[in-house]
Amino acid sequence: MSFSITLPDGSKKDFDSSLTIAELASGIATSLGKAAVAGKVNGELKPLDFVLDADSEVAIVTDKDEAALEVLRETVAFIFEATAKKAHSELRLGLHEAGEDGFFVDTDKADQIKVTELPELEKAMQKVIKNGEKIEHVQVAKAELAEIFKDDPFKSELLAKEADQVDAYKLGDFIDFGFKALLPNTGKIKQFKLLSVAGAYWLGKSSNPMLQRVAGTAFFKAADLEADLKRRQEIKERDHRTLGHNLDLFFVDPKVGAGLPYWMPKGATIRRIVERYIIDREVADGYQHVYTPVLMNLDAYKTSGHWAHYRDDMFPPMDMGDGEMLELRPMNCPSHIQIYKHHIRSYRDLPLRVAELGMMHRYEKSGALSGLQRVREMTLNDGHTFVTLDQVQTEFAKILKLIMDVYKDFDITDYYFRLSYRDPKNTDKYFANDEMWERSQKMLKGAMDDLGLDYVEAEGEAAFYGPKLDIQTKTALGNDETMSTIQLDFMLPERFGLSYVGQDGEEHRPVMIHRGIVGTMERFIAYLIEIYKGAFPTWLAPVQAEIIPVNLEAHGEYAEKVRLELAKRGFRVDVDSRNEKMGYKIRESQTQKVPYTLVLGDDEMNSDSVNVRRYGNEDQETMSLDEFINLITADVNEYSREK
């Protein structure tokens, strides 16, 4: 036997007999052997006892490497399984997974694991860890494991996909499989935390049983765990689902329709303000706003290519019984194409800018649904511009300027540009027309270069019909999401036979530019809830001022007068007329994150003034009603940005 191991620095080591990753690490350096937690063999994570006996590229993973966290977290997940199974012998186990955000284990029993049980389970796990117990990596016959898990339908289903010999790990009498690499003993585990319990459908399908998903995380250093827990607390405080509930903005009830949000009055107010703002902006920029049906003949989506490329994301067609098949639209593009086709177009009509707040429906799997961010019904701030070839770059720059202006008003600053190209090898996703792709990608890149903007390039991120500029934002929770997009399209005008009469009197093919300024209303408002932490700037706040009379009987009439004065100027104002103490009402106004709280007593009533408290500020200031009107007017007109 003779083989070579290639190390990350390019050096090679030759061997005449097999050895483990642990032996390789110790052979390189004693200190490396002690620090090693796993290895990467040809890019795949393997445990320390993995046997090397063929030419391979091998990297030793230590606790300084990012991959080590996955090993650590898989190990903690395994220890949790063993501990939970010992505490509840009837417990059945489902999926387990570890990654950059921690780990989870799906469990099931008659009386499901509760979040209040986590501290006791942590203590039991700490005992196992403190003892430095051995974790044994073993090869077990599939039939033997089948006998062990015969009473566990979830493990049995997972086991059916395994080979005849299964990689498994043992801790005492406990055994499980499906792990990439675990630590050889519990001694290297220093810092971990069980975080939460939530429901999770088996294999992510709503038709399957609901299991309990226990989530946790682990680090090698206490400081890293502390920083992560702080980050998670910040995420919890910004989670739009929690804030949406606490501020009574929206709700989703799976009993009446998973992924279908109900907008409460306050949430509907925010959405309406955003929609009016967007429409006014677009109309001022030359867009013609339209309404088009949410249903369309299936043949249109077959022509556009959506049926071929996105069928799995579309709802089943509706058979109308007379040969007509109607489809809930997943995209607005074919609808706007019909607007274009309704008249004969001349070069004088171009650019023709069509926009709509268009409702769409997409079949998202139940396991992927999340608040307003992943829904089945959504309203897209959509627009399509039909241009001549020589208008493409000018119109592109105009759309990009509109996007930047909108970002400024919403105070969106953390973003970058991504040019998304096709993957020429992926002929299933992208239609085959090399000339079109090369031409459109060059045109898009040229437009960005002419504007002098920095961008990254991403192969394989284009739409199936053309390249695009994606504007990627960082959400308050640290996720990278596409906020806006501008897409060039030579394909759909061809497929739908679009034309315009040129100066030469001949028919020519227009270019279609798809663009979304802020994406869907649902996702955009989820984004706003999280970046503002529910404390909306005054121009967006559903209630801009809360009026609190000190004594309803004595000051209620004046409170109503103030409300009317503000309301007739277009401000959104409430009077808290509940029979509660004033201090409670003031705290409630702060809890609801109302920008201005106005307290009215004898002094204010007698001087036609208001006592003003700004959200998040304990200071208060008395001013005339006219002064307050000037203050809140300026605040709204400046989009609540500090001068």
Side-chain angles (χ1 to χ4, degrees):
M1 175 187 291
S2 179
F3 61 95
S4 297
I5 299 295
T6 304
L7 300 174
D9 62 2
S11 62
K12 287 189 176 184
K13 289 184 174 291
D14 298 322
F15 298 92
D16 294 324
S17 59
S18 63
L19 75 166
T20 64
I21 291 174
E23 289 168 341
L24 174 65
S26 297
I28 295 171
T30 303
S31 58
L32 184 62
K34 291 179 179 179
V37 299
K40 277 195 171 181
V41 181
N42 299 324
E44 291 187 12
L45 203 56
K46 298 293 183 183
L48 287 173
D49 64 356
F50 181 81
V51 176
L52 303 167
D53 57 8
D55 291 349
S56 310
E57 293 181 359
V58 180
I60 305 300
V61 177
T62 73
D63 59 14
K64 301 292 191 294
D65 299 314
E66 191 173 326
L69 282 177
E70 185 177 350
V71 178
L72 174 67
R73 289 165 180 168
E74 277 204 322
T75 307
V76 176
F78 176 72
I79 294 170
F80 166 78
E81 286 186 342
T83 305
K85 186 74 174 174
K86 186 175 182 179
H88 306 286
S89 59
E90 77 280 16
L91 187 74
R92 300 184 295 185
L93 298 169
L95 295 171
H96 51 70
E97 191 173 297
E100 62 181 19
D101 199 44
F103 66 85
F104 71 77
V105 176
D106 288 346
T107 67
D108 182 60
K109 64 187 183 76
D111 182 19
Q112 300 283 30
I113 289 177
K114 299 177 179 63
V115 71
T116 52
E117 295 179 58
L118 298 187
E120 284 301 316
L121 288 169
E122 273 189 6
K123 286 181 183 178
M125 292 170 66
Q126 289 283 12
K127 186 176 180 181
V128 174
I129 290 166
K130 187 177 180 180
N131 292 340
E133 296 183 21
K134 181 181 179 181
I135 298 173
E136 188 180 358
H137 181 206
V138 292
Q139 281 271 315
V140 186
K142 185 175 180 177
E144 184 179 340
L145 287 175
E147 179 63 25
I148 292 171
F149 293 114
K150 64 182 179 181
D151 296 325
D152 189 330
F154 309 113
K155 278 295 173 188
S156 296
E157 187 173 340
L158 295 174
L159 184 62
K161 302 172 185 176
E162 296 287 336
D164 290 339
Q165 289 294 314
V166 183
D167 268 320
Y169 288 87
K170 293 182 69 176
L171 179 64
D173 294 332
F174 178 75
I175 188 168
D176 196 12
F177 61 93
F179 298 96
K180 294 177 185 175
L182 301 188
L183 297 170
N185 63 70
T186 63
K188 283 186 178 286
I189 299 172
K190 304 298 181 185
Q191 304 292 331
F192 77 95
K193 183 73 177 173
L194 298 180
L195 298 167
S196 62
V197 177
Y201 289 112
W202 171 237
L203 300 180
K205 295 180 180 179
S206 58
S207 57
N208 286 343
M210 175 77 78
L211 307 186
Q212 292 298 101
R213 176 163 290 180
V214 180
T217 193
F219 289 89
F220 289 103
K221 295 180 180 178
D224 291 338
L225 177 60
E226 185 179 344
D228 185 68
L229 294 178
K230 186 176 180 181
R231 177 187 68 85
R232 289 176 187 275
Q233 181 60 31
E234 177 71 12
I235 288 173
K236 186 177 179 181
E237 290 173 3
R238 288 186 182 273
D239 191 315
H240 80 280
R241 295 165 297 182
T242 303
L243 289 167
H245 171 76
N246 293 342
L247 301 178
D248 200 23
L249 302 179
F250 72 93
F251 70 88
V252 180
D253 186 348
K255 293 177 183 177
V256 292
L260 303 174
Y262 285 72
W263 296 83
M264 296 299 284
K266 288 182 180 179
T269 298
I270 297 167
R271 174 171 170 163
R272 188 166 56 250
I273 296 163
V274 173
E275 289 178 345
R276 286 173 176 171
Y277 166 89
I278 289 293
I279 291 172
D280 289 345
R281 273 284 189 176
E282 291 178 337
V283 169
D285 221 42
Y287 285 88
Q288 301 178 57
H289 259 262
V290 299
Y291 293 101
T292 58
V294 296
L295 288 168
M296 200 173 205
N297 194 296
L298 180 61
D299 289 342
Y301 298 112
K302 290 181 177 179
T303 300
S304 69
H306 290 104
W307 183 248
H309 290 276
Y310 292 112
R311 185 183 308 182
D312 291 344
D313 297 319
M314 297 168 69
F315 279 91
M318 289 174 270
D319 188 342
M320 305 309 292
D322 57 359
E324 183 182 26
M325 301 292 286
L326 292 181
E327 176 67 34
L328 279 169
R329 68 178 174 192
M331 303 284 185
N332 301 313
C333 330
S335 301
H336 292 180
I337 285 172
Q338 298 309 311
I339 295 285
Y340 181 91
K341 289 181 69 175
H342 190 64
H343 295 298
I344 296 172
R345 304 293 179 177
S346 160
Y347 72 94
R348 297 181 187 277
D349 298 323
L350 307 184
L352 178 67
R353 305 180 185 96
V354 179
E356 178 179 12
L357 292 172
M359 184 180 289
M360 310 183 306
H361 294 81
R362 296 182 187 173
Y363 178 67
E364 294 277 3
K365 293 183 179 179
S366 297
L369 299 173
S370 177
L372 295 177
Q373 287 176 326
R374 294 293 293 272
V375 294
R376 287 175 172 161
E377 179 181 273
M378 64 217 75
T379 299
L380 181 64
N381 161 226
D382 208 358
H384 296 89
T385 304
F386 302 87
V387 296
T388 65
L389 196 59
D390 59 0
Q391 292 171 337
V392 168
Q393 290 191 232
T394 301
E395 189 64 20
F396 177 89
K398 183 179 177 68
I399 294 170
L400 192 53
K401 182 182 184 304
L402 175 59
I403 292 172
M404 297 300 99
D405 288 345
V406 169
Y407 280 18
K408 180 181 178 185
D409 288 342
F410 284 98
D411 200 25
I412 299 170
T413 57
D414 190 2
Y415 60 87
Y416 68 93
F417 300 112
R418 183 182 76 187
L419 287 184
S420 297
Y421 305 139
R422 70 159 175 169
D423 176 358
K425 298 174 185 175
N426 190 343
T427 54
D428 290 333
K429 180 177 179 181
Y430 303 109
F431 78 100
N433 186 327
D434 291 342
E435 182 183 354
M436 186 288 295
W437 280 103
E438 289 169 10
R439 182 185 199 184
S440 56
Q441 289 178 175
K442 184 178 180 181
M443 193 173 284
L444 195 63
K445 181 176 172 63
M448 289 297 288
D449 290 339
D450 287 348
L451 292 168
L453 296 171
D454 293 330
Y455 54 85
V456 299
E457 297 173 287
E459 188 177 274
E461 294 294 331
F464 75 89
Y465 48 73
K468 57 180 178 169
L469 171 71
D470 290 322
I471 303 180
Q472 301 294 112
T473 56
K474 278 287 185 188
T475 69
L477 307 188
N479 300 319
D480 197 41
E481 287 186 354
T482 301
M483 175 71 73
S484 310
T485 185
I486 309 173
Q487 304 170 1
L488 295 188
D489 184 0
F490 289 77
M491 186 194 80
L492 292 186
E494 184 73 31
R495 287 193 170 184
F496 282 93
L498 302 188
S499 65
Y500 67 90
V501 179
Q503 284 180 287
D504 57 3
E506 299 295 326
E507 286 193 350
H508 299 270
R509 192 78 71 204
V511 180
M512 190 173 175
I513 303 177
H514 308 245
R515 45 105 289 198
I517 304 299
V518 294
T520 68
M521 289 298 105
E522 290 74 14
R523 182 170 286 188
F524 185 57
I525 291 171
Y527 171 83
L528 294 180
I529 291 171
E530 292 181 353
I531 63 168
Y532 296 138
K533 214 171 181 177
F536 287 91
T538 307
W539 76 280
L540 274 177
V543 177
Q544 295 170 316
E546 185 80 24
I547 299 171
I548 300 176
V550 174
N551 182 290
L552 188 60
E553 188 173 327
H555 311 118
E557 188 175 333
Y558 180 58
E560 182 61 18
K561 175 190 171 184
V562 171
R563 187 193 71 78
L564 288 171
E565 285 294 319
L566 291 168
K568 74 181 183 182
R569 289 170 171 81
F571 297 112
R572 299 179 292 279
V573 190
D574 281 347
V575 175
D576 191 338
S577 56
R578 293 175 299 168
N579 186 24
E580 299 283 356
K581 292 182 179 180
M582 187 180 71
Y584 174 84
K585 292 182 180 182
I586 292 172
R587 287 193 299 275
E588 182 73 6
S589 181
Q590 292 289 298
T591 300
Q592 290 298 303
K593 304 178 188 285
V594 178
Y596 293 97
T597 301
L598 308 181
V599 179
L600 309 181
D602 287 340
D603 292 343
E604 289 77 25
M605 184 173 66
N606 294 332
S607 60
D608 203 26
S609 62
V610 291
N611 182 273
V612 182
R613 300 167 186 249
R614 290 176 181 263
Y615 170 73
N617 193 332
E618 293 184 2
D619 295 338
Q620 50 187 299
E621 180 183 359
T622 298
M623 62 182 71
S624 71
L625 180 56
D626 286 342
E627 286 176 321
F628 176 70
I629 289 171
N630 290 336
L631 171 67
I632 193 172
T633 299
D635 193 7
V636 169
N637 290 343
E638 289 292 325
Y639 294 99
S640 307
R641 291 190 296 266
E642 293 184 9
K643 294 183 180 178

